[in-house]
Amino acid sequence: MKNLSNKEAVEKLRDLATDIDFAILSTNLGQAKFDATPMSTKKVDDEGNIWFLSGKKSNHYNYIKEDNKVALMYSKPGNMSFMNVFGKAEIVSEQSVISELYGTGDDMWFDGENDPNICALKITPDEAEYWEPKQNKLISFFKFGIATIKGEQPDLSQHGHITV
């Protein structure tokens, strides 16, 4: 288990969040039926904050207004890369921030960057955990095959804890 903090932590967080891109944003965490919504990562800033665009009419928007504790679950099974992030969400309505994050792909969800329904979500991580392969996929499959033949446990991934 590797423990990362400070600049190294922000870089690992940025690398994984931007490479995986899509995350499940979970809100209403204190309830048995929490809310989970797929989101596309817009950026990870120099402080390690993760940014998304969101709609003000969404369930998670209302849950964040009540309780800002959130979890993000990133998963890219094809690469065997995963990350869980626990932190606090902040709703940001500044047009300059929305304009910076907005891309043409967002037209699918919003009526342009000036849509009155749009806002940005700033997720400030408290901590995160990640799992990723130690080597590329081909080497990992080869090592898995060898370990299977030998009846051994393969050592394919690394696990780490991130404190931002």
Side-chain angles (χ1 to χ4, degrees):
M1 173 111 157
K2 198 173 189 184
N3 291 312
L4 304 178
S5 60
N6 302 324
K7 185 179 178 188
E8 186 180 27
V10 171
E11 288 173 13
K12 176 59 78 177
L13 193 71
R14 180 181 293 121
D15 289 347
L16 287 168
T18 54
D19 180 53
I20 297 171
D21 183 16
F22 286 95
I24 297 295
L25 169 68
S26 296
T27 55
N28 199 32
L29 298 178
Q31 301 302 311
K33 188 179 183 289
F34 61 89
D35 185 66
T37 307
M39 304 288 283
S40 177
T41 304
K42 291 301 181 177
K43 78 172 187 176
V44 179
D45 66 26
D46 292 338
E47 288 80 42
N49 299 306
I50 304 170
W51 291 83
F52 301 95
L53 288 176
S54 180
K56 294 177 182 176
K57 297 175 185 169
S58 64
N59 287 338
H60 58 266
Y61 176 86
N62 292 317
Y63 288 131
I64 289 168
K65 285 172 62 175
E66 292 176 24
D67 180 2
N68 69 347
K69 291 185 204 116
V70 298
L72 295 170
M73 291 161 272
Y74 285 89
S75 174
K76 194 170 190 178
N79 286 7
M80 297 303 292
S81 297
F82 308 91
M83 180 170 63
N84 292 333
V85 178
F86 303 94
K88 293 177 182 62
E90 177 184 341
I91 296 167
V92 179
S93 297
E94 294 171 36
Q95 189 58 47
S96 61
V97 173
I98 293 167
S99 295
E100 177 190 344
L101 299 176
Y102 199 88
T104 56
D106 297 313
D107 288 342
M108 202 167 23
W109 307 105
F110 304 103
D111 291 329
E113 63 186 66
N114 295 311
D115 185 331
N117 179 46
I118 197 170
C119 67
L121 296 180
K122 174 184 171 184
I123 311 299
T124 302
D126 292 326
E127 61 180 306
E129 267 187 292
Y130 68 92
W131 298 261
E132 64 180 349
K134 288 183 176 179
Q135 292 91 16
N136 69 40
K137 197 180 336 185
L138 182 61
I139 292 172
S140 294
F141 283 132
F142 179 73
K143 284 185 170 186
F144 180 78
I146 297 294
T148 302
I149 292 168
K150 291 182 173 183
E152 298 173 349
Q153 193 81 11
D155 181 25
L156 303 176
S157 66
Q158 55 189 7
H159 175 216
H161 185 82
I162 299 172
T163 306
V164 180

